[in-house]
Amino acid sequence: MGFWKSLFSVTDSVETAQKTRLRQVKTPTSQIFFSTDRNIDLYELEELCDSVGWARRPIRKVRKAIEHSFVVITIREQRGSFNRLIGFARATSDRAFNATIWDVVVHPEFQGRGLGKALMQEVVKELRRADISNISLFADAHVVDFYRQLGFNADPEGIKGMFWYPP
Ligand SMILES: CC(C)(COP(=O)(O)OP(=O)(O)OC[C@H]1O[C@@H](n2cnc3c(N)ncnc32)[C@H](O)[C@@H]1OP(=O)(O)O)[C@@H](O)C(=O)NCCC(=O)NCCS
């Protein structure tokens, strides 16, 4: 029974991977896959966020955030039998007009090779496919130009992002 269960779950995950796969990039030593598969090891995601120095967040809240996201894109590197998460982004949405992109990250070892740009293009493509045209994000100061290059405007027509935090 255990054997069949494990066989089916492998088949399921292969099918899910095929259904959810977006673009694929070949490097001399590995393959890189973009996917909408939400079956994410949250500890692996935490490691990825650690690698860029982000503050840790409770895993249960990250799980909830992903469950309630409209678009989730991951980038994985496949090197032989070794497979790891190297990029991630997600977007929340009202599913009609507006979406906001969150948690855009590429592992430092893979930065500067066009993966961040491709990741953002995939998120925007998925949102446009759902006919969402008002796409926003909150850029850290050091990445404003990264997003600007991708067509995002800071303060369009003077509009300011405003935040409320608990006193
Ligand atoms: C921001 C980040 C996702 C970019 O990913 P990346 O894979 O390194 O970016 P790319 O290689 O696709 O770069 C695409 C273009 O943006 C430029 N770019 C990349 N990072 C940039 C930055 N911080 N500032 C300005 N331009 C940047 C690149 O030079 C490249 O320009 P080109 O097309 O003219 O060559 C990545 O650096 C990262 O994960 N940083 C840490 C997490 C973070 O700060 N996320 C954003 C939170 S708001």
Side-chain angles (χ1 to χ4, degrees), residues 27-154:
T27 77
T29 52
S30 66
Q31 299 211 64
I32 290 171
F33 298 102
F34 289 68
S35 165
T36 55
D37 185 4
R38 285 166 184 244
N39 194 11
I40 299 165
D41 177 341
L42 298 178
Y43 292 97
E44 208 183 3
L45 178 59
E46 187 172 68
E47 268 179 41
L48 174 61
C49 296
D50 284 351
S51 75
V52 296
W54 284 353
R56 283 209 170 169
R57 301 175 294 186
I59 292 276
R60 70 183 166 79
K61 282 206 164 201
V62 174
R63 177 180 295 112
K64 202 168 174 181
I66 291 174
E67 276 169 12
H68 290 273
S69 291
F70 182 53
V71 170
V72 175
I73 310 273
T74 57
I75 315 178
R76 304 196 69 89
E77 183 203 31
Q78 180 82 44
R79 185 185 289 260
S81 59
F82 186 62
N83 185 300
R84 68 164 159 162
L85 182 70
I86 59 164
F88 177 85
R90 67 185 180 91
T92 49
S93 178
D94 59 16
R95 297 168 185 243
F97 302 108
N98 306 291
T100 306
I101 299 175
W102 305 96
D103 301 340
V104 178
V105 56
V106 171
H107 191 285
E109 282 173 36
F110 294 84
Q111 289 177 10
R113 304 188 196 177
L115 292 180
K117 182 176 177 177
L119 178 62
M120 285 296 296
Q121 285 169 341
E122 293 296 344
V123 175
V124 170
K125 202 188 329 171
E126 290 295 306
L127 294 173
R128 293 297 297 131
R129 227 153 53 94
D131 200 24
I132 289 164
S133 45
N134 191 0
I135 303 174
S136 57
L137 55 79
F138 301 97
D140 288 346
H142 67 281
V143 284
V144 168
D145 287 337
F146 166 70
Y147 292 120
R148 221 190 287 275
Q149 277 195 25
L150 292 165
F152 286 81
N153 294 310

